[in-house]
Amino acid sequence: MTSKNLFFKLMKEDLKRRVWAVALLSLGFFFFYPVVAAFTAGNIKDYMDYAKGLAEYEKNLVRWLSFNSGMTVFLMMAAALICGLSSFSFLNSKSKVDFYHGIPVRREMLFVANFSNGILMLAVPYGICQLLAVLVGVSNGASFGRIFQVALAAYGLHITYFILMYSTVVVAAMLTGHLVVGFLGTMVLAFYMPMATGLLVAYLSSFFRTYSSRLPGLLSERVLMHGIRISPIAEYIYQLSRNGEQYQVPVPMAGAVLIAWGVSFFLAALSCFLYRKRPSEAAGKAMAFSVTCPVIRILLTMLSALGLGLFFYMMRSSMGWAVFGILFGGGICHCVVEIIYHFDFKKLFSHKLQLVCCLVASLLIMVVFRYDLLGYDRYLPKAGQVREAAVHVDRTSDWVSYGHTQSFPDGHYEWNYESYDGYMFQNMKYHDIENLLAIASAGIEQTERRKDQTVYRDRYYGEEYPEDGTIWSEVEVCYTLNSGRMVCRIYHMPIDGKAWPAMKKMHEDSEFQKGTYPLMTMTSEQVDSIRFRGKYSKGDYGENEVCLEKLSAKEKEKLLKAYQQEFMAMKVEELEKEAPVGLIRFGKEIDEEAIRWWKQQDANEYKDYPSYRYRGWRDLVNKDYYPVYPSFAETIRLLKEQGAEVGGYLDELDVRAVQVRAPQMDEDEYYEDEYYEPKYYDREYNGSSEYLYIRDPEKIEELKNIWVYDELCYYDPFFRAEDAEVSLMILDLEKEDDREYDYEEYEDGSWNTSVRVVFPEGRIPDFVWESEEE
């Protein structure tokens, strides 16, 4: 009983010593929660519809009180720092240490009393102020059940991560003997691992051209994220980001919370152990334990040297500047740490040997990465070492939709994007390893060649490519070795070069196709409707598409199987010559529900969801479409049986002229009189380009059988088209006062909009470039 009373007396005396911190935190939370709840309630009257204003107020209050509130995170960080450093601030004064340690009480009890007070100083004011905010919200008409539930969950989560950060600050306080050094120590414990992990990623991505952090493997983003999360602040922010916005489905937090509590308990036990071992003479010194001095000094010196070395190298691409950065960064950091340790400028070089070793080690690491001494970019396993693989070639599949339609708690629908690499590396099981190694070998050869070539920076990929006119692509390869380990590389290489035969063979492989195109693994039970776009649609929403939603299960199965078989049977040689004649979508039940929901919102003019109008609607209605080719005889037959028109995608357009520009042609050619005939051509000079306008109806009719809609070719990356910009100048009677071309008024031969088309390779008639005899 005496021991229990003593414990509470210790807590009471400690609270008296830190009443300023209690008052500061209480004041902050009072203004942050109840005052904000009362202040924002005034927004309700700004709405003419009281119910709508109340709903908006309740939604904003829920967001403010929830775990997703970023400002609460900031307050928790500041509170952890204040409570942690003040809990054991007496350890920084020799007189106070002598006083506290002169009390006839065990150090463990003194530690627990002060440590517990640090938590209660925040938990009590925070809980009271959140409850007051809930009551203020309820008094203004908000739902008590909803707000209280969110506030209670947020309270538990925020307290969990506050204790995690608070325990880290206490460990820093135990390792140091000065308040300022304790603050710096907290920064080291909180940010060293995220910085070190970020520096590792920077070295990998800067020097290894075949590295990509998003790919699976030991050095993947998923694995490296664990290194970043070895920080209470980083873990706190990470868990916050996982939950997203309020309308999204909450992420389960039980596992993360248990881990956080486990780590907090470990850090608290470590702090107690350090407190017991801490010598009383450490008060006023920079570091309480001499054994930690070289460890922290070496870690900080290496990090600074490597960081500044990389910075200078990236600025000038020079190893000389990299060496300067390493020497300067490592030397300055070492000297600063020595000054902090000893509080004496004369101790700058107290440990010269350690400094030299750190600098030499940093230089060796830089050399290993810069010259790839470990052969990272040259890695090529033997065929017998690989169990299976997954491959992604972006230029051949960037049109594919990865993801699914998702419904949200508030009733709206959106397209939930899934990364293409995540889908492929999970679903593809490619076993033709010899063929894959031929592709990877060409990628390695190109990677080594590019290191010494004159290069330019490609805007689309942000990578470096030689100016040789070839078709470049990212080829991502993920090997699953016999041991189960995954090794991944990414190559920037021309796919129509040395690797072209292997590329074609891989693209025609059923394992590759099923892992690349989700539709190839779809079953008829999943199909709810079939949509076909066989006519030009000027908008983004497929106004002219046909929806086959009343098909029987047998008819759906027949059409799905026919399309899958014909799509997978297409050879690359056929894809190079054939252009799609339409687009087909095999929709699931939730896809149709989403489309109906958005159409209803459209009818209501998006009154309830104005911000979703363009993004959500466009995403949903344009996803999961696959091309239909002229050679898909069975698919086309089945579509025609259901009344769909296949072919003549642009036939209904009122084409008044055809505009042609060929940048590759010599400009002077356009100015020669023998190539100019006003009867057929109009000429306009625009910058350095020359446009030809074909108006003759007979010639337009002839070209109609040749041109292909440009946007359909997007779905066929192998299609070979002429390098010429061609546009159909059409008259759109529904378009008013926003003409792109200000020519004649609506007379014969005039137009007010254009449609981009392409000519298949080798099929441009001579009359496009040559004049005719009169």
Side-chain angles (χ1 to χ4, degrees):
M1 189 68 173
T2 303
S3 177
K4 183 178 180 181
N5 290 334
L6 178 60
F7 177 77
F8 284 111
K9 286 182 179 180
L10 289 173
M11 293 184 65
K12 182 178 178 180
E13 292 301 319
D14 181 56
L15 281 176
K16 290 181 180 179
R17 178 174 62 89
R18 294 193 285 168
V19 68
W20 64 270
V22 177
L24 180 64
L25 293 174
S26 299
L27 187 63
F29 282 116
F30 178 75
F31 275 96
F32 192 73
Y33 287 110
V35 172
V36 168
F39 183 79
T40 55
N43 296 334
I44 299 177
K45 64 181 181 181
D46 293 339
Y47 291 83
M48 296 182 64
D49 185 347
Y50 174 79
K52 190 171 184 178
L54 180 59
E56 190 68 20
Y57 169 69
E58 182 176 305
K59 183 177 72 173
N60 292 333
L61 186 58
V62 165
R63 180 178 287 111
W64 192 252
L65 296 177
S66 72
F67 181 58
N68 302 104
S69 175
M71 284 300 297
T72 303
V73 174
F74 173 77
L75 286 180
M76 291 296 168
M77 292 178 184
L81 195 62
I82 294 172
C83 296
L85 292 179
S86 65
S87 292
F88 297 93
S89 59
F90 67 87
L91 294 176
N92 302 323
S93 171
K94 293 182 180 180
S95 60
K96 291 182 180 180
V97 168
D98 293 338
F99 170 75
Y100 276 94
H101 290 177
I103 300 174
V105 60
R106 296 179 59 187
R107 283 197 180 187
E108 290 84 348
M109 181 177 290
L110 183 60
F111 173 84
V112 174
N114 285 24
F115 188 88
S116 301
N117 265 351
I119 297 174
L120 293 175
M121 285 168 54
L122 174 127
V124 174
Y126 173 44
I128 292 174
C129 291
Q130 264 216 329
L131 181 59
L132 290 175
V134 170
L135 296 176
V136 170
V138 172
S139 67
N140 284 281
S143 170
F144 174 79
R146 183 186 180 194
I147 296 180
F148 182 75
Q149 182 181 6
V150 169
L152 184 62
Y155 180 82
L157 292 172
H158 282 304
I159 289 296
T160 295
Y161 289 101
F162 163 77
I163 294 175
L164 180 62
M165 294 185 293
Y166 169 74
S167 301
T168 305
V169 176
V170 173
V171 170
M174 293 301 166
L175 291 173
T176 59
H178 192 277
L179 184 62
V180 175
V181 181
F183 170 77
L184 296 176
T186 300
M187 296 299 103
V188 172
L189 294 180
F191 296 109
Y192 186 86
M193 283 305 299
M195 293 177 63
T197 305
L199 186 61
L200 173 60
V201 174
Y203 265 80
L204 291 169
S205 58
S206 298
F207 296 112
F208 296 161
R209 292 176 179 256
T210 61
Y211 170 76
S212 177
S213 62
R214 69 176 183 270
L215 302 183
L218 184 62
L219 298 176
S220 67
E221 185 180 87
R222 180 177 299 180
V223 175
L224 293 175
M225 179 58 72
H226 295 299
I228 296 177
R229 291 169 60 190
I230 304 178
S231 159
I233 296 177
E235 173 66 8
Y236 194 6
I237 296 174
Y238 172 76
Q239 296 300 337
L240 186 79
S241 65
R242 288 178 66 215
N243 280 267
E245 295 295 332
Q246 294 302 313
Y247 63 82
Q248 293 185 332
V249 178
V251 176
M253 294 286 294
V257 169
L258 289 176
I259 293 175
W261 278 102
V263 174
S264 299
F265 180 80
F266 169 77
L267 293 176
L270 176 62
S271 300
C272 185
F273 173 77
L274 293 174
Y275 181 49
R276 288 183 58 199
K277 298 295 182 180
R278 178 189 174 98
S280 298
E281 297 79 13
K285 294 183 178 179
M287 301 298 293
F289 301 95
S290 59
V291 69
T292 62
C293 292
V295 176
I296 295 175
R297 181 170 50 236
I298 291 172
L299 290 176
L300 291 177
T301 301
M302 292 282 290
L303 184 68
S304 300
L306 291 171
L308 204 59
L310 180 63
F311 172 78
F312 278 106
Y313 178 83
M314 296 303 295
M315 292 295 292
R316 293 297 181 187
S317 297
S318 167
M319 276 300 292
W321 278 105
V323 172
F324 168 78
I326 289 175
L327 297 178
F328 181 77
I332 292 296
C333 179
H334 180 89
C335 293
V336 169
V337 171
E338 289 287 22
I339 293 173
I340 294 174
Y341 279 174
H342 302 287
F343 300 115
D344 186 355
F345 280 95
K346 297 179 182 180
K347 300 291 185 178
L348 286 176
F349 299 101
S350 298
H351 299 83
K352 300 183 183 65
L353 182 60
Q354 283 187 18
L355 174 59
V356 171
C357 290
C358 288
L359 296 179
V360 171
S362 299
L363 287 171
L364 288 176
I365 293 173
M366 172 64 77
V367 170
V368 168
F369 277 92
R370 169 61 181 85
Y371 298 103
D372 192 10
L373 299 184
L374 300 179
Y376 185 93
D377 287 336
R378 300 185 298 275
Y379 175 80
L380 187 69
K382 296 180 180 179
Q385 297 176 324
V386 183
R387 182 200 307 166
E388 60 192 22
V391 193
H392 171 248
V393 184
D394 69 339
R395 283 295 177 94
T396 65
S397 60
D398 57 0
W399 58 270
V400 183
S401 302
Y402 296 103
H404 60 276
T405 302
Q406 183 176 353
S407 62
F408 291 86
D410 69 348
H412 88 279
Y413 294 83
E414 284 188 17
W415 180 264
N416 188 344
Y417 286 89
E418 179 181 357
S419 64
Y420 61 82
D421 47 5
Y423 176 85
M424 290 184 181
F425 297 140
Q426 183 178 358
N427 294 278
M428 187 182 297
K429 310 295 180 184
Y430 186 66
H431 291 92
D432 192 349
I433 306 303
E434 291 287 355
N435 187 67
L436 177 58
L437 293 180
I439 297 173
S441 179
I444 293 173
E445 181 179 327
Q446 183 60 45
T447 299
E448 294 301 312
R449 185 185 302 121
R450 281 173 47 230
K451 290 181 178 180
D452 301 318
Q453 282 182 329
T454 301
V455 296
Y456 73 97
R457 186 160 296 276
D458 184 275
R459 292 184 179 181
Y460 180 76
Y461 288 102
E463 250 292 345
E464 297 174 342
Y465 297 95
E467 292 189 79
D468 53 11
T470 56
I471 302 175
W472 289 80
S473 176
E474 286 187 353
V475 179
E476 301 172 17
V477 181
C478 184
Y479 308 101
T480 300
L481 305 182
N482 295 328
S483 62
R485 185 168 67 94
M486 302 180 75
V487 180
C488 299
R489 295 293 186 270
I490 180 170
Y491 304 104
H492 301 270
M493 57 185 291
I495 61 174
D496 57 348
K498 182 178 179 181
W500 185 234
M503 283 283 185
K504 292 195 293 184
K505 183 179 179 182
M506 181 179 67
H507 188 271
E508 296 165 5
D509 188 281
S510 61
E511 291 181 330
F512 177 82
Q513 291 177 335
K514 290 180 179 179
T516 302
Y517 307 106
L519 181 59
M520 297 303 104
T521 58
M522 192 176 188
T523 62
S524 58
E525 291 78 12
Q526 296 174 297
V527 179
D528 181 70
S529 67
I530 300 173
R531 293 178 175 268
F532 179 72
R533 295 181 178 179
K535 295 182 180 180
Y536 169 76
S537 176
K538 64 181 178 180
D540 293 329
Y541 313 129
E543 296 93 336
N544 295 328
E545 72 179 6
V546 177
C547 182
L548 309 176
E549 55 186 347
K550 296 182 179 180
L551 298 179
S552 65
K554 187 175 182 180
E555 289 173 326
K556 294 176 184 177
E557 180 181 9
K558 192 174 182 180
L559 186 51
L560 175 63
K561 286 187 176 181
Y563 182 83
Q564 288 175 335
Q565 291 173 359
E566 291 179 320
F567 184 90
M568 296 179 69
M570 284 285 285
K571 302 295 183 183
V572 173
E573 288 78 4
E574 297 173 306
L575 293 171
E576 291 177 324
K577 299 176 181 178
E578 289 192 36
V581 293
L583 301 174
I584 193 170
R585 177 180 184 176
F586 294 84
K588 300 178 181 179
E589 183 178 359
I590 192 172
D591 298 327
E592 292 302 315
E593 290 177 359
I595 291 175
R596 287 192 292 270
W597 185 87
W598 277 108
K599 285 183 177 180
Q600 182 61 43
Q601 301 309 311
D602 190 20
N604 295 334
E605 297 181 352
Y606 300 88
K607 294 178 180 177
D608 297 327
Y609 300 90
S611 62
Y612 299 146
R613 178 171 186 175
Y614 300 104
R615 175 172 56 87
W617 177 226
R618 184 178 62 248
D619 284 354
L620 279 175
V621 297
N622 288 320
K623 297 300 181 184
D624 270 349
Y625 279 93
Y626 282 73
V628 175
Y629 293 91
S631 60
F632 287 11
E634 182 64 13
T635 300
I636 293 175
R637 185 185 68 82
L638 293 173
L639 285 171
K640 288 183 176 180
E641 285 183 358
Q642 302 300 325
E645 295 182 16
V646 184
Y649 197 88
L650 303 174
D651 284 354
E652 296 184 2
L653 298 181
D654 184 4
V655 181
R656 300 301 181 92
V658 179
Q659 175 186 274
V660 184
R661 182 174 76 90
Q664 77 279 11
M665 295 187 64
D666 187 354
E667 266 186 35
D668 294 336
E669 181 178 335
Y670 292 105
Y671 291 93
E672 298 179 17
D673 293 337
E674 59 179 312
Y675 290 111
Y676 173 59
E677 186 179 1
K679 179 180 179 181
Y680 298 116
Y681 303 118
D682 288 339
R683 176 171 293 118
E684 286 200 357
Y685 185 75
N686 184 6
S688 61
S689 302
E690 189 73 13
Y691 292 91
L692 303 178
Y693 292 90
I694 305 173
R695 294 176 179 269
D696 186 85
E698 293 183 1
K699 296 189 180 298
I700 292 176
E701 190 66 27
E702 183 177 344
L703 293 177
K704 182 185 294 186
N705 299 321
I706 302 174
W707 66 51
V708 179
Y709 187 35
D710 182 64
E711 291 189 18
L712 285 181
C713 293
Y714 167 72
Y715 293 85
D716 182 2
F718 294 102
F719 182 72
R720 295 187 178 273
E722 288 287 348
D723 184 18
E725 294 183 9
V726 186
S727 297
L728 306 183
M729 319 310 291
I730 68 173
L731 178 61
D732 182 4
L733 297 178
E734 297 181 4
K735 190 171 184 179
E736 298 179 359
D737 300 327
D738 57 348
R739 297 193 297 275
E740 298 179 15
Y741 303 93
D742 189 18
Y743 290 97
E744 310 96 336
E745 292 301 319
Y746 297 136
E747 301 172 357
D748 289 342
S750 66
W751 57 81
N752 63 350
T753 191
S754 64
V755 176
R756 287 292 301 273
V757 295
V758 297
F759 286 128
E761 190 176 63
R763 294 193 60 190
I764 299 183
D766 292 339
F767 69 77
V768 172
W769 311 120
E770 299 177 2
S771 65
E772 295 183 358
E773 296 293 333
E774 295 188 2

